[in-house]
Amino acid sequence: MHIRRSLRRSRAGVTLLSLAALLLSGCSANEPASSAGSAAVAALAALPRATPSALSPYYGQKLSWRDCGVPGFRCATMKAPLDYAKPGAGDLRLAVARKKATGPGKRLGSLQVNPGGPGGSAVGYLQQYAGVGYPAEVRARYDMVAVDPRGVARSEPVECLNGRPMDAYTQTDTTPDDQREKTRLVDAFKKFAEGCGAHAPKLLRHVSTVEAARDMDILRAILGDRRLTYVGASYGTFLGATYAGLFPDRVGRLVLDGAMDPSLPARRLNLDQTAGFETAFQSFAKDCVRQADCPLGGKGAKPAQVGADLKEFFRRLDAHPIPTGDAGGRKLGEALATTGVIAAMYDESTWEQLREALTSAIRENDGAGLLALSDSYYERDPRGRYANLMSANAAVNCLDLPAAFDTPEQVEKALPSFEKASPVFGEGLAWASLSCAYWPVAPTGAPHRIQAKGAAPIVVVGTTRDPATPYPWARSLASQLASGRLLTYEGDGHTAYGRGSACIDSAINAYLLHGTPPAKGKRCS
């Protein structure tokens, strides 16, 4: 498996996260795990205020808007340089979508949105959720806008594997029991990486978060906005914070929901995220044992028994996968079952579905429910085709930061710390973080703090029991940003805006509509 960072999915199911890039790429395994805000980690430097003349054609382009096939939305194609250091070396064509402000009230400009991933389609998120599901008063005053980042969805998508080869990849055992299984896992990572390298060798060198943030600034200028107004969720917070670091004087009203910490190296990021999923699972376990249909431990059992029973269930699947009714003959083994369980950790509204899926698998030998959760996580359609989410996720992660581990031996040495962080998921997540070690292009980024000195107030939102972007990351990012303002949601699930908290929603709406950031230390439930 290749684990992705994180992706904001609406409560209606617009997005989930994926277990093949969940553990973020980061610093070399030989580097010490730095603490957030460490003085040893350099800050991201702002770009010169003046736009280089070589980029003027991009900033001055006019978009030709056309029908999207989705009522109320218009689409266009934007050009950006493949290589910002060599603007004459070729262009990328990036997909843009917009829904004009509906009124009433004075138009406030454009509001760009990004759901995370990396690899999530911002255009899809806009059309399926943000453009129709954001609060009516926000949509009334802003043109709702999205651009698919380079390498993602409609913007010259990277594709590593698809169809049956991708099916095989997602079923690869990430808890190897012997040398043969370790070799098979490494071979799977290599095959995935080779697929990306063969498909887009030039593009793979230019899908970094810094480049995507610069693309957002071109779009800002094209749309006629003096400053960027933006809501980014999950990985979208890293993208938005990067924009603020590069262009602090062009920051308008930025909301970073489910924040990432750019100052941490990969192993620390991966370990934190592993602990985050354990925290979320413990919340699920406490809820499960209060339900009559809990298939793990049983009603009234201790939450620890839920974890022990789930791990034993995974062990049985590792030896004897069970039927799913899949037309292609896929069975439910440990890898797909783990992905299905992790998928349900993103939103507590999915816990009932997870209990039902586990009950069917454990008591009826029917893996269809967990397979469906896993397929939604990987964005696999009924025909066996995958969206490019996982490919783009790997491409961005492995370019942004060096691999967490370089060799299987390094993973084995780190296993105790991962298993301590999560007795249920730790082993699999540790091995999954080896994937970037075999990437075909060298990373261009490194851990860094983002200060964005001189920027307008930036609202950073953290959820206390967020599985994918642990709450300490939000605290850290808010403290790094010179104008950061932390807004805390005391609850479960991934991200907070639009997930049922009137307190959170009213605070963010007030900021977007009136420019009033939340009070310092504001907490919601």
Side-chain angles (χ1 to χ4, degrees):
M1 266 180 313
H2 182 280
I3 300 182
R4 79 185 182 223
R5 286 184 176 167
S6 38
L7 186 67
R8 166 67 157 86
R9 296 216 178 237
S10 78
R11 201 173 271 278
V14 176
T15 341
L16 262 172
L17 183 71
S18 145
L19 185 63
L22 159 71
L23 296 185
L24 306 111
S25 56
C27 284
S28 154
N30 296 321
E31 296 179 60
S34 71
S35 60
S38 168
V41 181
L44 180 66
L47 292 170
R49 292 193 177 194
T51 300
S53 58
L55 296 179
S56 295
Y58 298 101
Y59 276 82
Q61 66 186 293
K62 304 294 183 183
L63 298 185
S64 178
W65 295 98
R66 61 187 183 276
D67 181 62
C68 285
V70 181
F73 294 87
R74 303 283 285 175
C75 290
T77 301
M78 178 186 106
K79 290 184 179 180
L82 172 67
D83 184 351
Y84 275 92
K86 300 176 182 178
D91 296 339
L92 289 177
R93 299 172 65 83
L94 308 180
V96 181
R98 178 175 68 180
K99 185 178 184 183
K100 298 282 284 190
T102 57
K106 181 181 178 182
R107 177 182 174 276
L108 294 175
S110 304
L111 171 58
Q112 291 193 43
V113 297
N114 184 281
S121 172
V123 170
Y125 177 71
L126 176 72
Q127 294 175 341
Q128 298 173 51
Y129 176 63
V132 294
Y134 268 31
E137 57 268 39
V138 173
R139 292 182 284 116
R141 306 287 298 281
Y142 284 101
D143 292 346
M144 301 293 293
V145 179
V147 55
D148 277 346
R150 47 180 61 206
V152 173
R154 301 163 178 85
S155 294
E156 304 202 16
V158 172
E159 183 176 298
C160 303
L161 299 175
N162 214 320
R164 289 190 179 276
M166 188 63 180
D167 281 345
Y169 182 67
T170 63
Q171 295 175 74
T172 303
D173 184 1
T174 55
T175 57
D177 300 315
D178 53 35
Q179 187 56 49
R180 180 178 59 85
E181 291 187 350
K182 292 173 191 174
T183 299
R184 185 179 300 166
L185 178 59
V186 168
D187 287 345
F189 287 146
K190 289 179 178 178
K191 184 175 181 179
F192 187 88
E194 288 166 0
C196 282
H199 175 259
K202 290 184 180 179
L203 180 59
L204 282 190
R205 292 175 170 80
H206 298 288
V207 292
S208 70
T209 298
V210 166
E211 290 163 310
R214 298 189 70 171
D215 296 340
M216 287 169 52
D217 193 58
I218 291 177
L219 180 57
R220 173 204 58 78
I222 292 172
L223 295 171
D225 295 312
R226 188 169 67 89
R227 294 187 174 187
L228 176 73
T229 298
Y230 172 83
V231 176
S234 198
Y235 161 79
T237 67
F238 181 41
L239 182 59
T242 299
Y243 180 93
L246 295 173
F247 305 105
D249 57 309
R250 300 174 193 173
V251 168
R253 299 169 187 177
L254 264 60
V255 177
L256 308 179
D257 183 15
M260 289 180 55
D261 182 353
S263 73
L264 297 178
R267 190 180 299 186
R268 172 67 181 277
L269 287 168
N270 295 355
L271 200 57
D272 283 357
Q273 199 171 46
T274 299
F277 276 94
E278 181 66 22
T279 296
F281 179 75
Q282 288 301 315
S283 290
F284 165 76
K286 290 174 184 176
D287 178 77
C288 189
V289 297
R290 291 195 292 264
Q291 311 300 326
D293 63 344
C294 182
L296 300 167
K299 186 175 182 181
K302 298 291 186 182
Q305 187 61 47
V306 176
D309 285 359
L310 181 61
K311 194 167 184 181
E312 172 59 22
F313 170 59
F314 288 159
R315 188 193 66 77
R316 295 199 304 270
L317 290 178
D318 189 31
H320 302 289
I322 63 176
T324 64
D326 176 63
R330 288 180 302 159
K331 290 189 174 183
L332 184 77
E334 181 181 14
L336 292 176
T338 303
T339 304
V341 172
I342 281 183
M345 294 299 102
Y346 285 84
D347 192 329
E348 64 273 23
S349 67
T350 317
W351 290 355
E352 181 179 1
Q353 181 183 353
L354 176 59
R355 291 198 309 273
E356 293 173 353
L358 285 168
T359 297
S360 294
I362 294 170
R363 297 177 180 171
E364 301 168 18
N365 210 45
D366 179 2
L370 283 173
L371 181 65
L373 282 167
S374 177
D375 283 351
S376 71
Y377 196 65
Y378 284 121
E379 295 196 352
R380 181 190 190 273
D381 69 22
R383 298 172 301 166
R385 298 291 298 177
Y386 291 77
N388 95 304
L389 171 65
M390 296 311 306
S391 298
N393 182 274
V396 176
N397 283 344
C398 297
L399 191 63
D400 273 351
L401 295 167
F405 297 106
D406 297 324
T407 66
E409 290 73 24
Q410 290 178 349
V411 176
E412 290 176 321
K413 189 174 181 179
L415 279 175
S417 60
F418 278 80
E419 291 177 314
K420 181 179 180 181
S422 175
V424 177
F425 305 118
E427 181 183 5
L429 297 186
W431 280 106
S433 61
L434 180 62
S435 58
C436 284
Y438 309 103
W439 204 242
V441 299
T444 57
H448 55 269
R449 290 175 294 117
I450 298 179
Q451 297 173 318
K453 292 180 179 179
I458 298 172
V459 175
V460 179
V461 188
T463 297
T464 55
R465 294 185 295 279
D466 190 316
T469 51
Y471 179 66
W473 292 359
R475 284 204 313 255
S476 177
L477 180 60
S479 68
Q480 292 171 47
L481 292 165
S483 59
R485 186 68 61 88
L486 179 63
L487 174 61
T488 298
Y489 173 55
E490 296 177 341
D492 296 295
H494 183 41
T495 73
Y497 188 40
R499 297 191 68 251
S501 169
C503 174
I504 289 288
D505 291 355
S506 62
I508 293 176
N509 293 344
Y511 174 62
L512 291 174
L513 295 171
H514 308 296
T516 306
K520 290 183 178 180
K522 184 173 181 63
R523 302 180 75 89
C524 295
S525 59

